Amino acid sequence: MSTITCKAAVCWGPDEPFKIEQIQVDPPRLGEVRLKILCSSLCHTDVLRWHGIPLPLFPRVLGHEGVGVVESVGDEVTDIKVGDTVIPTFIGECGDCPNCESGKTNLCRTHPFSFSGLMPDGTSRMSAAGGRSLYHLFSCSTFSEYAVVSAHYVAKVDPGLPPPVASLLSCGFTTGFGAVWKEAKVEAGSSVAVFGLGGVGIGAVAGAKMMEAGRIIGIDVNDKKREPGEAFGATDFVNPGKIGGRSAVEVIKELTGGLGVDYSFECSGVAAVLNEAIECTKVGSGLTILIGAGQGVMPVNVRLFLPGRTVKGCVFGGVKPRSDLHLVIDKCLDKELQLEGLVTHEVGLEDINHAFELLKQPDCLKVVIKM
Ligand code: CXF
Ligand code: ZN
């Protein structure tokens, strides 16, 4: 196996435009696979990393949603072979560490998610012309024609699944869907509020529909999110800018007999919204699942917790990449979940800077990057 020279979008510093450059992608080492990326998609975590949040790791190849075909495999890779179609996952699942065995979390201790921007062994597989080492995002880096990932951090997908749909499953949609299904374990008939109807929030709405929630209230400052929200199962839509000066909390309580919702899902990463997401849940039992990390530090009114409310964070919606993810993939193959409608924009890799601009458009749900 030899080094591959290919095109990638390289970011050299915080908020600097991406440059499409020829980079070198090393052969896969022990336990790794090299992927020919078919397509990638943008997630707001890419935007935060581009801003240098939480760490300014540059130069860097971003991208963690994507789908690819295995081009070569390193030593001791037994369950993945050349030609398999896989999606990168930023957490693994060993199946027998204390966390994997706990039944309480998807955060495997053997194959954890990492903020280092390097492969699990602490090194990079990508370098720019002249040999400068490039940081990865998690251990993925899908804004490249080829990428090396650990075989512990991929999930096989049916090659019949349209690549854009497969790409969406590798982070955003699954995170929202799983937050409802695996983290909150929403019961049939219960009430749900989803704050922020982007790719993650729509995933949460779809998860609530699958769990047969009785009332699914989507909240977004942008009216263009009403239609996709309702298409995926929202029973109500609240635009906080268009409720006559009342707060979203008041309106949600009105919609739920004055009590508030059983579950809320915070998908915006905005502090004021997190406080509303907590306050709109039922006293004594309300559970808020925190998904949007935003800038990291957010002021929260702790008095909201005193009447017995809970906030729980999650990564990848609590979904285990080996035990659970195939169920979401199957629902897409069966057309029970139709994610094609989430792809509002498609661009080529050379238009990646435009792709980041498109994310700000009011009608944008997901931007897919075709390689
Ligand atoms: C990320 C959020 C930060 C922790 C790791 C997972 N999720 C997706 O973008
Ligand atoms: Zn993501």
Side-chain angles (χ1 to χ4, degrees):
M1 280 177 288
S2 53
T3 297
I4 286 179
T5 302
C6 69
K7 272 192 293 182
V10 181
C11 184
W12 286 86
D15 299 327
E16 283 187 24
F18 293 83
K19 291 193 176 140
I20 304 301
E21 299 180 15
Q22 296 286 335
I23 68 159
Q24 309 266 293
V25 180
D26 294 343
R29 297 187 190 170
L30 181 85
E32 298 173 353
V33 297
R34 187 163 56 188
L35 310 180
K36 178 173 177 23
I37 304 290
L38 299 174
C39 75
S40 176
S41 39
L42 262 65
C43 163
H44 280 88
T45 297
D46 296 305
V47 181
L48 290 170
R49 300 302 185 270
W50 176 52
H51 294 328
I53 299 169
L55 292 168
L57 303 178
F58 298 102
R60 191 170 203 182
V61 177
L62 293 172
H64 60 292
E65 293 190 354
V67 58
V69 174
V70 177
E71 173 270 338
S72 54
V73 302
D75 290 340
E76 294 184 22
V77 174
T78 50
D79 51 346
I80 310 278
K81 57 183 192 317
V82 170
D84 283 348
T85 304
V86 299
I87 56 176
T89 58
F90 45 83
I91 54 171
E93 180 186 351
C94 75
D96 51 29
C97 72
N99 279 10
C100 282
E101 285 190 332
S102 71
K104 293 182 178 175
T105 177
N106 63 336
L107 297 179
C108 174
R109 288 200 203 168
T110 315
H111 309 301
F113 72 94
S114 159
F115 286 116
S116 72
L118 295 167
M119 297 294 287
D121 71 357
T123 60
S124 169
R125 299 290 167 275
M126 291 176 155
S127 50
R132 177 87 182 264
S133 175
L134 297 166
Y135 283 104
H136 297 241
L137 174 49
F138 304 122
S139 58
C140 312
S141 294
T142 52
F143 297 163
S144 172
E145 290 176 322
Y146 287 85
V148 173
V149 294
S150 161
H152 295 295
Y153 292 72
V154 296
K156 278 192 221 183
V157 295
D158 186 308
L161 195 63
V165 172
S167 183
L168 267 41
L169 294 181
S170 55
C171 181
F173 182 86
T174 306
T175 297
F177 191 82
V180 178
W181 169 40
K182 301 299 296 185
E183 293 287 358
K185 301 181 171 59
V186 163
E187 301 93 357
S190 49
S191 50
V192 165
V194 179
F195 288 79
L197 296 184
V200 176
I202 295 282
V205 167
K209 185 179 179 200
M210 179 191 72
M211 301 301 274
E212 300 177 0
R215 193 129 208 180
I216 306 170
I217 307 167
I219 302 102
D220 202 292
V221 290
N222 175 356
D223 277 339
K224 293 207 162 142
K225 300 293 167 68
R226 174 193 286 270
E227 195 189 315
E230 290 177 349
F232 278 84
T235 57
D236 302 87
F237 177 80
V238 177
N239 180 337
K242 296 191 175 168
I243 44 180
R246 289 176 302 158
S247 71
V249 173
E250 282 175 75
V251 174
I252 292 165
K253 287 197 170 162
E254 256 174 47
L255 290 170
T256 50
L259 296 175
V261 289
D262 297 300
Y263 300 98
S264 69
F265 298 86
E266 204 305 287
C267 312
S268 77
V270 176
V273 178
L274 171 59
N275 281 275
E276 288 181 316
I278 300 168
E279 195 178 355
C280 79
T281 65
K282 276 183 185 163
V283 162
S285 61
L287 172 63
T288 299
I289 304 290
L290 171 60
I291 306 174
Q295 306 276 326
V297 178
M298 292 193 222
V300 174
N301 179 356
V302 296
R303 288 199 187 90
L304 298 174
F305 295 96
L306 293 180
R309 296 183 175 111
T310 305
V311 176
K312 186 177 194 290
C314 68
V315 169
F316 204 39
V319 171
K320 293 184 173 193
R322 298 210 166 179
S323 307
D324 303 324
L325 185 56
H326 63 96
L327 293 167
V328 191
I329 295 169
D330 286 349
K331 284 183 188 299
C332 292
L333 286 167
D334 295 347
K335 301 273 178 218
E336 189 184 326
L337 287 173
Q338 301 203 13
L339 305 196
E340 287 84 350
L342 285 179
V343 180
T344 50
H345 301 84
E346 284 191 341
V347 301
L349 182 63
E350 63 283 3
D351 288 324
I352 186 136
N353 290 300
H354 183 51
F356 275 68
E357 283 300 313
L358 288 171
L359 269 189
K360 298 179 199 156
Q361 305 251 327
D363 63 335
C364 183
L365 287 169
K366 292 299 283 190
V367 185
V368 163
I369 298 171
K370 294 181 290 182
M371 294 299 160

